Amino acid sequence: MAKKNIKEMSFLGHLEELRWMLVRIVSIILIISIAAFFVSDFIFTDILFGPKDPNFLTYRFFCSVTQFFGIVDSAICNVEMPFIIQNTDMGGQVSLLIWVCITVGFVVGFPFILWEVWKFISPALYDKEKKHAAAFVIVSSLLFFLGVLFGYFIITPLSVYFFGSFSTSVEIVNEFNLESYTSMIKTSVIACGILFELPIIIYFLSKLGLVSPSFLRKYRKYAFVIVLIVSAVITPPDIISQIIVSIPIMILYEFSILISYLVTRNQLKIANK
């Protein structure tokens, strides 16, 4: 069996390694954040406030899909955004600019962050596991960016559409706070990015024996119900939109079951040798 080759290091030595890892991560985030500052007009106009535009790509795509299935009166084909976004804080826009740039730094620098984390934990891994460093970073980054795209192009515009057009009375006018609007987008994007890391998380949990394929299969129906409920809340009131949102998440869940099965089977083979 391959050895871990753990280098003898004191507790303070590990703390020093952790400190420098965090310094490098923060540095790369700051560098990317500074670069994002110089293209902030594009980030705000085309990205941050893109989902507020009735002609946004997602609305046109959903409209085409619903029309393809013969739903001619779909609400998504007549998108209206009867709300305004207002800033009520003196330094609100300055604070927003800073945090949006930092968020961009985190998202774009995610592969580097993964690489730094991998280097930090690698001394505790077997030689065979260390060889998978590149694959780990590439697959994890790919899943994260797919999640970010899913959050931005699916979850975010549908949420903006739902909350922006929802009204309990004609006497109430939607005037959203700037921080509330941007927080929803940042939360949706980053949360989906982390959600799409589910196969990686399941891989490590399975390695530790905390999760098994049978456990995931047992609670599959509950996961399916939760996904459908969330999809029904954030999408327009037609079944096609709900299905489009639900399918990728359930595929991810099924893929995680497969990952757990392969890990468990491999561990059983090693134990029986």
Side-chain angles (χ1 to χ4, degrees):
M1 182 179 293
K3 296 181 179 180
K4 293 187 178 183
N5 295 328
I6 300 179
K7 188 185 297 183
E8 293 295 333
M9 186 181 296
S10 66
F11 176 72
L12 292 178
H14 284 293
L15 284 181
E16 183 69 10
E17 286 291 323
L18 177 61
R19 184 173 73 89
W20 281 108
M21 180 195 74
L22 294 176
V23 167
R24 289 191 294 270
I25 289 176
V26 171
S27 297
I28 193 65
I29 291 177
L30 288 178
I31 291 172
I32 298 174
S33 299
I34 293 171
F37 172 79
F38 292 100
V39 291
S40 57
D41 286 343
F42 169 77
I43 292 174
F44 276 82
T45 304
D46 296 325
I47 297 180
L48 195 61
F49 295 114
K52 186 179 179 298
D53 184 356
N55 294 315
F56 189 62
L57 175 65
T58 302
Y59 306 132
R60 290 188 278 115
F61 169 74
F62 273 79
C63 180
S64 299
V65 171
T66 54
Q67 288 180 342
F68 176 80
F69 285 97
I71 304 176
V72 294
D73 295 327
S74 175
I76 200 69
C77 292
N78 299 291
V79 174
E80 295 183 3
M81 297 296 176
F83 66 88
I84 63 173
I85 300 174
Q86 58 179 345
N87 174 45
T88 58
D89 188 358
M90 183 69 74
Q93 296 199 48
V94 175
S95 176
L96 174 65
L97 175 61
I98 293 172
W99 282 108
V100 166
C101 289
I102 291 175
T103 302
V104 172
F106 172 79
V107 172
V108 176
F110 190 76
F112 178 84
I113 296 173
L114 285 177
W115 178 252
E116 286 295 328
V117 172
W118 181 272
K119 285 198 303 181
F120 180 73
I121 66 174
S122 62
L125 302 177
Y126 291 106
D127 291 336
K128 183 178 179 181
E129 293 172 326
K130 292 179 183 179
K131 296 177 182 178
H132 301 309
F136 167 76
V137 173
I138 292 173
V139 173
S140 298
S141 299
L142 179 62
L143 288 172
F144 178 77
F145 289 133
L146 285 175
V148 167
L149 292 175
F150 181 77
Y152 179 73
F153 285 104
I154 303 296
I155 303 299
T156 294
L158 293 179
S159 298
V160 170
Y161 167 77
F162 174 78
F163 292 114
S165 59
F166 183 83
S167 177
T168 56
S169 171
V170 293
E171 299 296 326
I172 303 175
V173 179
N174 286 328
E175 296 181 355
F176 298 136
N177 181 272
L178 178 63
E179 182 180 357
S180 174
Y181 174 83
T182 55
S183 293
M184 186 196 68
I185 294 180
K186 287 188 293 183
T187 301
S188 299
V189 168
I190 294 179
C192 285
I194 296 174
L195 174 64
F196 270 58
E197 294 293 322
L198 181 62
I200 303 297
I201 296 172
I202 292 298
Y203 170 82
F204 284 107
L205 291 178
S206 298
K207 291 277 286 186
L208 294 172
L210 299 177
V211 169
S212 65
S214 59
F215 174 85
L216 295 174
R217 293 192 191 100
K218 178 181 178 180
Y219 290 97
R220 176 195 281 128
K221 57 184 178 181
Y222 300 106
F224 182 66
V225 171
I226 293 173
V227 169
L228 285 179
I229 292 174
V230 173
S231 301
V233 170
I234 67 173
T235 58
D238 62 71
I239 190 65
I240 302 299
S241 301
Q242 296 171 20
I243 291 174
I244 291 175
V245 171
S246 302
I247 287 178
I249 300 177
M250 291 311 302
I251 290 175
L252 204 64
Y253 189 86
E254 294 298 326
F255 184 63
S256 297
I257 295 177
L258 175 61
I259 293 294
S260 181
Y261 167 76
L262 293 175
V263 171
T264 304
R265 187 184 65 176
N266 186 54
Q267 289 180 327
L268 288 174
K269 286 183 178 179
I270 294 175
N272 294 328
K273 285 185 178 180

